[in-house]
Amino acid sequence: EDQVTQSPEALRLQEGESSSLNCSYTVSGLRGLFWYRQDPGKGPEFLFTLYSAGEEKEKERLKATLTKKESFLHITAPKPEDSATYLCAVQAIKGGSQGNLIFGKGTKLSVKP
Amino acid sequence: DTEVTQTPKHLVMGMTNKKSLKCEQHMGHRAMYWYKQKAKKPPELMFVYSYEKLSINESVPSRFSPECPNSSLLNLHLHALQPEDSALYLCASSQEYRNYGYTFGSGTRLTVV
């Protein structure tokens, strides 16, 4: 069964304290892995798509990496405005959930000034 | 234009009311989706339209009725809802179904009283 597990569920950081969020996945052939940011009461905002192991993408203080089993979202010197829930989702090439986004439960990040 | 626009942003309705949620995109995407998101949970897929035809109905109760009048518009008609249907309803689109990442709208916060 295709599955996505994110850890930790919640993460509290001080401003400037770098850390990483984890997304472990089991899927019947990976078409793509997606990171989204979601603020309370808003829709998910697209951050990154990763397609193959070894791929890395960066945007401002965020860097996403991908292996065959997991993805990391590294946050360097976070600011309070980075506080949000970060969602990881995978899209499978085949199987019952083929093509649909399978979401993890998210990591709620809080950055204190 | 890289947006998915949802209206209204907030909706309060009684259990005997009929209302509709609207979604619009002008990115030329041929797949559109409705998701339901409860508090502190990931989005759950409800319906998928591909080339204006219903492709997926994830066992959603008949009190939710989707409609795709054209390639840019997606509606969700609501009738005789229950309080447990209160949630954030998200619309998303992608270039093609089963390919590419999704762009999400900001959602409609629905409260059923």
Side-chain angles (χ1 to χ4, degrees), chain A residues 98-113:
Chain A
Q98 177 191 358
N100 296 331
L101 285 186
I102 304 163
F103 282 93
K105 293 184 177 180
T107 293
K108 184 176 182 180
L109 174 65
S110 300
V111 182
K112 301 298 181 185

Side-chain angles (χ1 to χ4, degrees), chain A residues 31 34 36 38 43 99-101 104, chain B residues 37 42 97-99 101-102 105:
Chain A
R31 178 178 299 283
F34 305 89
Y36 288 89
Q38 187 172 26
N100 296 331
L101 285 186
Chain B
Q37 187 176 25
Y97 179 45
R98 296 180 172 176
N99 266 312
Y102 299 4

Side-chain angles (χ1 to χ4, degrees), chain A residues 36 38 42-44 87-89 101-106, chain B residues 34-38 40-46 88 90 104:
Chain A
Y36 288 89
Q38 187 172 26
K42 300 269 184 83
L87 293 168
C88 173
L101 285 186
I102 304 163
F103 282 93
K105 293 184 177 180
Chain B
W34 280 114
Y35 280 82
K36 174 182 178 179
Q37 187 176 25
K38 303 282 276 185
K40 299 184 180 181
K41 298 286 187 181
E44 297 177 6
L45 183 64
M46 299 175 71
L88 181 67
L90 295 164
F104 283 85

